[in-house]
Amino acid sequence: QSVLTQPPSASGTPGQRVTISCSGSSSNIGSNTVNWYQQFPGTAPKLLIYSNNQRPSGVPDRFSGSKSGTSASLAISGLQSEDEADYYCATWDDTLFGGGTKLTVL
Amino acid sequence: EVQLLESGGGLVQPGGSLRLSCAASGFTFSSYAMSWVRQAPGKGLEWVSAISDSGGNTYDADSVKGRFTISRDNSKNTLYLQMSSLRAEDTAVYYCAKRSQYSNNWYTDYWGQGTLVTVSS
């Protein structure tokens, strides 16, 4: 069980806005930035958000990140079927990962 | 195009050793810190080890400290993970990963496709 807590699952319908939370403590999220990764089954993770809210080039602006205190969130707006994947938060310079959230698009 | 190609995975008995390699291309390898991250079957991501761009500084997760050694050969653009005293719980896909920095905070911007290590008798 990870120190960073994510809901095991989340779901939404196409076009909807979905948020995935990542809860930590003052010693991890509270004092470090958060990164987010997307992983499809059988493939390597892909960087989605870095430094709380920075989007790498090529990542659609439907994806956004935020951090407040000891928690962080990933928001996906205009949900699409191809967004169905596992999502992981990470902090402490990517030495600490959340347990992951499986996003289902209904 | 950044490419990270892992090799060296396979089946090994408990207590055995294995060395993973990661051939990097498409970027100036010697300018970037690198890491290994693993994922047990059906489980989440777990950071294993990291190494600075020069190789002068290394960092290990408590779960592998004293058993795994990360190293690099910048002349060969290759990252290594020497694993010894392997246990069943080390069974996982091992990903080679490139690290980048933004405002003194690190993140992983590229991942290899992974190599499977299975520890079983």
Side-chain angles (χ1 to χ4, degrees):
Chain A
Q1 194 163 352
S2 176
V3 173
L4 299 184
T5 301
Q6 296 181 237
S9 63
S11 63
T13 56
Q16 202 173 18
R17 184 176 187 269
V18 170
T19 60
I20 296 172
S21 62
C22 177
S23 178
S25 68
S26 57
S27 64
N28 45 62
I29 290 180
S31 52
N32 292 272
T33 57
V34 176
N35 307 316
W36 289 91
Y37 299 91
Q38 178 189 56
Q39 185 181 35
F40 297 105
T43 70
K46 170 193 168 185
L47 177 66
L48 211 54
I49 297 288
Y50 65 96
S51 198
N52 300 331
N53 54 20
Q54 302 297 305
R55 215 173 26 252
S57 60
V59 173
D61 59 6
R62 302 186 296 104
F63 294 90
S64 63
S66 64
K67 182 189 124 172
S68 178
T70 60
S71 293
S73 292
L74 173 71
I76 309 172
S77 59
L79 194 63
Q80 299 179 5
S81 58
E82 54 260 41
D83 297 333
E84 187 163 291
D86 294 326
Y87 293 85
Y88 294 91
C89 62
T91 190
W92 265 356
D93 294 335
D94 276 4
T95 63
L96 184 61
F97 287 90
T101 298
K102 182 177 181 60
L103 175 63
T104 301
V105 181
L106 302 171
Chain B
E1 179 193 5
V2 172
Q3 289 196 345
L4 301 170
L5 185 60
E6 302 96 336
S7 61
L11 175 64
V12 60
Q13 292 188 336
S17 299
L18 209 58
R19 188 178 83 157
L20 306 183
S21 299
C22 171
S25 61
F27 65 102
T28 305
F29 182 70
S30 59
S31 296
Y32 289 90
M34 300 290 293
S35 64
W36 288 96
V37 177
R38 68 185 180 185
Q39 186 170 34
K43 303 297 185 182
L45 301 171
E46 180 190 15
W47 170 73
V48 174
S49 297
I51 188 168
S52 61
D53 52 2
S54 67
N57 293 294
T58 62
Y59 314 87
D60 301 305
D62 287 343
S63 58
V64 306
K65 203 162 288 186
R67 300 187 301 122
F68 291 11
T69 302
I70 188 172
S71 63
R72 64 192 296 162
D73 186 337
N74 285 345
S75 69
K76 295 182 178 179
N77 289 349
T78 303
L79 177 72
Y80 302 101
L81 184 67
Q82 178 67 48
M83 305 184 293
S84 60
S85 302
L86 283 161
R87 308 165 180 166
E89 53 265 35
D90 295 320
T91 294
V93 173
Y94 285 73
Y95 293 104
C96 165
K98 172 181 172 288
R99 290 164 70 81
S100 284
Q101 206 173 19
Y102 179 82
S103 294
N104 292 322
N105 296 298
W106 293 93
Y107 61 95
T108 307
D109 54 355
Y110 290 95
W111 303 67
Q113 284 307 299
T115 187
L116 176 63
V117 173
T118 303
V119 184
S120 175
S121 54

